[in-house]
Amino acid sequence: NGTNTSPVMRGVWLLERIFGQTPPPPPPGVPGVEPDIRGATTLREILVKHRDQANCRACHEGIDPPGFAMESFNPIGGWRERYRSLGEGDKVDVTAGGKKVRYKLGLPVDASGAMKDGRAFTGFHEFQALLEKEPAMLARTLLVKLLTFASGRELGFSDRAEVDRLVRESAKNHFRVGEMMRLVVGSRIFQEK
């Protein structure tokens, strides 16, 4: 909405665009994450209670941790250590564009989590370091995006072997983007379809 962030939306975005995975849609009849009246005070606590539902747990275990890692960034991408607050908090007076802007700083951002495979991180920088250890996964996602754009169609099962070949070839040159683009243009997917 431009004023708040959503770890769930951010997690889905990361899964699709960085991890190359498409999470399934929520099951029919499952309500969205709403404010909890059972004692949860933060969005993290609300999502923990939401994951207690068996039909929500499987997806949210993969979606929420990457989304929480991105909570270190405010709605416009600036770094933040604390959330803004509408209620209690430390008053902040700043000037932007010659006008005073007043708001309050609330709870600290908790950008920690654990990936589905158990690898834990305490914040965005550790999450980023985990991603850096997966160059083939990142290359595959980028190659698929480039091939989708270059061929004008979504890739299918029959394209998997060619994508695997391109990932292996790009590894020989340390996954350099220029090399990946050259491989895309020379690929069977681009040349024949």
Side-chain angles (χ1 to χ4, degrees), residues 4-15 23 33 42-48 51 59-60 62-73 80 83 109-112 127:
N4 296 318
T5 56
S6 167
V8 175
M9 298 298 286
R10 287 176 161 187
V12 168
W13 188 91
L14 281 165
L15 285 178
V33 178
T42 67
L43 185 54
R44 182 177 285 273
E45 291 172 354
I46 293 169
L47 285 169
V48 166
R51 281 194 307 267
C59 293
H60 279 277
I63 293 170
D64 295 351
F68 278 120
M70 299 303 291
E71 284 296 281
S72 292
F73 299 97
R80 65 179 172 191
Y83 291 102
V109 171
D110 179 0
S112 65
F127 174 73

Side-chain angles (χ1 to χ4, degrees), residues 79-96:
W79 186 261
R80 65 179 172 191
E81 300 286 333
R82 293 169 64 185
Y83 291 102
R84 286 191 180 191
S85 171
L86 296 175
E88 295 185 23
D90 300 329
K91 290 182 181 179
V92 176
D93 288 322
V94 296
T95 303

Side-chain angles (χ1 to χ4, degrees), residues 6 29 39 55 66 84 98 100 105 124 143 146 150 165 174 183 187 189 193:
S6 167
N55 55 349
R84 286 191 180 191
K100 278 198 163 230
L105 289 176
F124 172 75
L143 283 164
L146 290 170
R165 184 186 72 77
H174 309 287
L183 288 167
S187 73
I189 295 169
K193 295 188 178 189

